[in-house]
Amino acid sequence: MKKIISLLMIITFFTGLVYAEKIIMKDGKEYVGNIHHQDDNVIFVVQKEELIKLNRADVKEIVVVQDKDGKNKKKKGFFSR
């Protein structure tokens, strides 16, 4: 199990160099990382070395940041996968 988690973190690190998602919650909190999995009820986002479970009903919007400088932002639909 530790090997799988380590591999997931390594893959997430390298894909995080290309793009990341910013999840903006209805209460104003923001999470920046990569979406690991999402369905109709929850979104799992990897932020740094932490896997965070978010309730989809509490999500205001998801923004895709395509480079480090925050340029080329593209909004992602609320229910898109």
Side-chain angles (χ1 to χ4, degrees):
M1 186 67 176
K2 288 182 182 181
K3 290 182 183 180
I4 293 171
I5 292 172
S6 297
L7 181 60
L8 175 64
M9 284 194 239
I10 291 170
I11 290 170
T12 302
F13 173 76
F14 286 110
T15 57
L17 296 176
V18 177
Y19 74 94
E21 287 90 9
K22 180 189 290 188
I23 296 93
I24 303 169
M25 307 301 286
K26 290 179 181 176
D27 65 1
K29 290 183 184 176
E30 295 182 357
Y31 299 91
V32 178
N34 294 97
I35 294 177
H36 178 264
H37 172 78
Q38 61 180 321
D39 61 29
D40 294 336
N41 300 316
V42 296
I43 298 173
F44 290 94
V45 62
V46 178
Q47 180 175 291
K48 297 182 182 177
E49 296 180 3
E50 187 177 3
L51 183 63
I52 302 168
K53 179 180 177 182
L54 304 172
N55 186 350
R56 185 177 276 283
D58 297 332
V59 175
K60 180 179 178 181
E61 71 178 317
I62 299 172
V63 178
V64 178
V65 181
Q66 295 179 347
D67 62 15
K68 288 183 184 179
D69 299 330
K71 296 178 184 175
N72 301 325
K73 290 182 182 178
K74 182 173 100 178
K75 289 189 179 181
K76 198 174 188 182
F78 183 74
F79 286 104
S80 59
R81 294 176 196 210

